[in-house]
PDB file of all heavy atoms in Angstrom:
ATOM      1  N   GLN A  63       6.011  24.280   6.416  1.00 96.00           N
ATOM      2  CA  GLN A  63       6.612  24.167   7.740  1.00 96.00           C
ATOM      3  C   GLN A  63       7.947  24.895   7.761  1.00 96.00           C
ATOM      4  O   GLN A  63       8.933  24.442   7.162  1.00 96.00           O
ATOM      5  CB  GLN A  63       6.806  22.702   8.136  1.00 96.00           C
ATOM      6  CG  GLN A  63       7.288  22.534   9.570  1.00 96.00           C
ATOM      7  CD  GLN A  63       7.407  21.091  10.008  1.00 96.00           C
ATOM      8  OE1 GLN A  63       7.568  20.196   9.195  1.00 96.00           O
ATOM      9  NE2 GLN A  63       7.306  20.850  11.309  1.00 96.00           N
ATOM     10  N   GLN A  74      -6.462  23.163   0.495  1.00 92.00           N
ATOM     11  CA  GLN A  74      -6.871  21.770   0.328  1.00 92.00           C
ATOM     12  C   GLN A  74      -7.605  21.621  -1.002  1.00 92.00           C
ATOM     13  O   GLN A  74      -8.376  22.499  -1.400  1.00 92.00           O
ATOM     14  CB  GLN A  74      -7.791  21.348   1.470  1.00 92.00           C
ATOM     15  CG  GLN A  74      -8.233  19.884   1.409  1.00 92.00           C
ATOM     16  CD  GLN A  74      -9.106  19.503   2.582  1.00 92.00           C
ATOM     17  OE1 GLN A  74     -10.318  19.690   2.577  1.00 92.00           O
ATOM     18  NE2 GLN A  74      -8.475  18.973   3.613  1.00 92.00           N
ATOM     19  N   ARG A  81     -10.805  23.825  -1.874  1.00 86.00           N
ATOM     20  CA  ARG A  81     -11.937  23.883  -0.940  1.00 86.00           C
ATOM     21  C   ARG A  81     -11.764  25.008   0.088  1.00 86.00           C
ATOM     22  O   ARG A  81     -12.722  25.622   0.502  1.00 86.00           O
ATOM     23  CB  ARG A  81     -12.070  22.576  -0.189  1.00 86.00           C
ATOM     24  CG  ARG A  81     -12.381  21.397  -1.058  1.00 86.00           C
ATOM     25  CD  ARG A  81     -12.482  20.136  -0.225  1.00 86.00           C
ATOM     26  NE  ARG A  81     -13.751  20.058   0.478  1.00 86.00           N
ATOM     27  CZ  ARG A  81     -14.028  19.090   1.337  1.00 86.00           C
ATOM     28  NH1 ARG A  81     -13.137  18.184   1.632  1.00 86.00           N
ATOM     29  NH2 ARG A  81     -15.217  19.052   1.924  1.00 86.00           N
ATOM     30  N   TYR A 129     -11.029  11.726   8.854  1.00 71.00           N
ATOM     31  CA  TYR A 129     -10.368  12.989   9.144  1.00 71.00           C
ATOM     32  C   TYR A 129      -8.887  12.810   9.431  1.00 71.00           C
ATOM     33  O   TYR A 129      -8.214  13.756   9.769  1.00 71.00           O
ATOM     34  CB  TYR A 129     -11.054  13.663  10.323  1.00 71.00           C
ATOM     35  CG  TYR A 129     -12.482  14.046  10.022  1.00 71.00           C
ATOM     36  CD1 TYR A 129     -13.515  13.664  10.860  1.00 71.00           C
ATOM     37  CD2 TYR A 129     -12.802  14.789   8.891  1.00 71.00           C
ATOM     38  CE1 TYR A 129     -14.826  14.011  10.581  1.00 71.00           C
ATOM     39  CE2 TYR A 129     -14.109  15.134   8.601  1.00 71.00           C
ATOM     40  CZ  TYR A 129     -15.126  14.743   9.449  1.00 71.00           C
ATOM     41  OH  TYR A 129     -16.410  15.082   9.171  1.00 71.00           O
ATOM     42  N   GLU A 130      -8.400  11.601   9.296  1.00 83.00           N
ATOM     43  CA  GLU A 130      -6.985  11.357   9.537  1.00 83.00           C
ATOM     44  C   GLU A 130      -6.202  11.745   8.301  1.00 83.00           C
ATOM     45  O   GLU A 130      -6.442  11.223   7.213  1.00 83.00           O
ATOM     46  CB  GLU A 130      -6.771   9.889   9.885  1.00 83.00           C
ATOM     47  CG  GLU A 130      -7.500   9.474  11.156  1.00 83.00           C
ATOM     48  CD  GLU A 130      -7.428   7.980  11.405  1.00 83.00           C
ATOM     49  OE1 GLU A 130      -6.692   7.293  10.689  1.00 83.00           O
ATOM     50  OE2 GLU A 130      -8.111   7.504  12.332  1.00 83.00           O
ATOM     51  N   GLN A 131      -5.275  12.666   8.472  1.00 88.00           N
ATOM     52  CA  GLN A 131      -4.446  13.118   7.365  1.00 88.00           C
ATOM     53  C   GLN A 131      -3.073  12.474   7.471  1.00 88.00           C
ATOM     54  O   GLN A 131      -2.447  12.499   8.532  1.00 88.00           O
ATOM     55  CB  GLN A 131      -4.319  14.640   7.354  1.00 88.00           C
ATOM     56  CG  GLN A 131      -5.644  15.338   7.064  1.00 88.00           C
ATOM     57  CD  GLN A 131      -5.506  16.813   6.773  1.00 88.00           C
ATOM     58  OE1 GLN A 131      -4.399  17.327   6.572  1.00 88.00           O
ATOM     59  NE2 GLN A 131      -6.623  17.524   6.728  1.00 88.00           N
TER      60      GLN A 131
ATOM     61  N   TYR B  49       0.888  13.761  16.195  1.00 96.00           N
ATOM     62  CA  TYR B  49       1.877  13.340  15.204  1.00 96.00           C
ATOM     63  C   TYR B  49       3.274  13.357  15.821  1.00 96.00           C
ATOM     64  O   TYR B  49       3.550  14.112  16.748  1.00 96.00           O
ATOM     65  CB  TYR B  49       1.885  14.290  14.004  1.00 96.00           C
ATOM     66  CG  TYR B  49       0.677  14.221  13.100  1.00 96.00           C
ATOM     67  CD1 TYR B  49      -0.460  14.979  13.358  1.00 96.00           C
ATOM     68  CD2 TYR B  49       0.689  13.420  11.962  1.00 96.00           C
ATOM     69  CE1 TYR B  49      -1.560  14.934  12.504  1.00 96.00           C
ATOM     70  CE2 TYR B  49      -0.398  13.369  11.110  1.00 96.00           C
ATOM     71  CZ  TYR B  49      -1.517  14.134  11.386  1.00 96.00           C
ATOM     72  OH  TYR B  49      -2.599  14.081  10.536  1.00 96.00           O
ATOM     73  N   GLN B  51       7.339  13.733  14.416  1.00 97.00           N
ATOM     74  CA  GLN B  51       8.159  14.059  13.257  1.00 97.00           C
ATOM     75  C   GLN B  51       9.629  13.878  13.605  1.00 97.00           C
ATOM     76  O   GLN B  51      10.094  14.373  14.627  1.00 97.00           O
ATOM     77  CB  GLN B  51       7.899  15.494  12.787  1.00 97.00           C
ATOM     78  CG  GLN B  51       8.583  15.838  11.477  1.00 97.00           C
ATOM     79  CD  GLN B  51       8.197  17.209  10.973  1.00 97.00           C
ATOM     80  OE1 GLN B  51       7.850  18.104  11.737  1.00 97.00           O
ATOM     81  NE2 GLN B  51       8.240  17.410   9.649  1.00 97.00           N
ATOM     82  N   TYR B  64     -11.713  11.439  18.526  1.00 89.00           N
ATOM     83  CA  TYR B  64     -12.901  11.965  17.860  1.00 89.00           C
ATOM     84  C   TYR B  64     -14.001  12.436  18.805  1.00 89.00           C
ATOM     85  O   TYR B  64     -14.912  13.140  18.374  1.00 89.00           O
ATOM     86  CB  TYR B  64     -13.482  10.899  16.928  1.00 89.00           C
ATOM     87  CG  TYR B  64     -12.547  10.529  15.799  1.00 89.00           C
ATOM     88  CD1 TYR B  64     -11.787   9.367  15.843  1.00 89.00           C
ATOM     89  CD2 TYR B  64     -12.409  11.358  14.693  1.00 89.00           C
ATOM     90  CE1 TYR B  64     -10.922   9.039  14.810  1.00 89.00           C
ATOM     91  CE2 TYR B  64     -11.556  11.038  13.652  1.00 89.00           C
ATOM     92  CZ  TYR B  64     -10.813   9.876  13.719  1.00 89.00           C
ATOM     93  OH  TYR B  64      -9.961   9.547  12.692  1.00 89.00           O
ATOM     94  N   LEU B 106      -8.410  19.487  14.316  1.00 84.00           N
ATOM     95  CA  LEU B 106      -9.003  19.470  12.983  1.00 84.00           C
ATOM     96  C   LEU B 106     -10.192  20.403  12.943  1.00 84.00           C
ATOM     97  O   LEU B 106     -11.138  20.265  13.725  1.00 84.00           O
ATOM     98  CB  LEU B 106      -9.439  18.055  12.616  1.00 84.00           C
ATOM     99  CG  LEU B 106      -9.929  17.874  11.177  1.00 84.00           C
ATOM    100  CD1 LEU B 106      -8.794  18.104  10.188  1.00 84.00           C
ATOM    101  CD2 LEU B 106     -10.525  16.494  10.990  1.00 84.00           C
ATOM    102  N   GLY B 110     -16.306  22.970   5.743  1.00 61.00           N
ATOM    103  CA  GLY B 110     -16.094  22.909   4.305  1.00 61.00           C
ATOM    104  C   GLY B 110     -14.916  22.013   4.007  1.00 61.00           C
ATOM    105  O   GLY B 110     -15.060  20.948   3.424  1.00 61.00           O
ATOM    106  N   GLN B 112     -11.108  20.207   5.503  1.00 72.00           N
ATOM    107  CA  GLN B 112     -10.549  19.628   6.723  1.00 72.00           C
ATOM    108  C   GLN B 112      -9.178  20.255   6.945  1.00 72.00           C
ATOM    109  O   GLN B 112      -8.189  19.817   6.389  1.00 72.00           O
ATOM    110  CB  GLN B 112     -10.408  18.121   6.577  1.00 72.00           C
ATOM    111  CG  GLN B 112     -11.697  17.424   6.213  1.00 72.00           C
ATOM    112  CD  GLN B 112     -11.451  16.076   5.572  1.00 72.00           C
ATOM    113  OE1 GLN B 112     -10.362  15.537   5.631  1.00 72.00           O
ATOM    114  NE2 GLN B 112     -12.468  15.526   4.934  1.00 72.00           N
TER     115      GLN B 112
END
Side-chain angles (χ1 to χ4, degrees):
Chain A
Q63 186 177 24
Q74 182 178 86
R81 297 179 78 185
Y129 296 128
E130 298 173 8
Q131 294 192 11
Chain B
Y49 289 87
Q51 188 174 27
Y64 296 101
L106 187 66
Q112 304 158 15

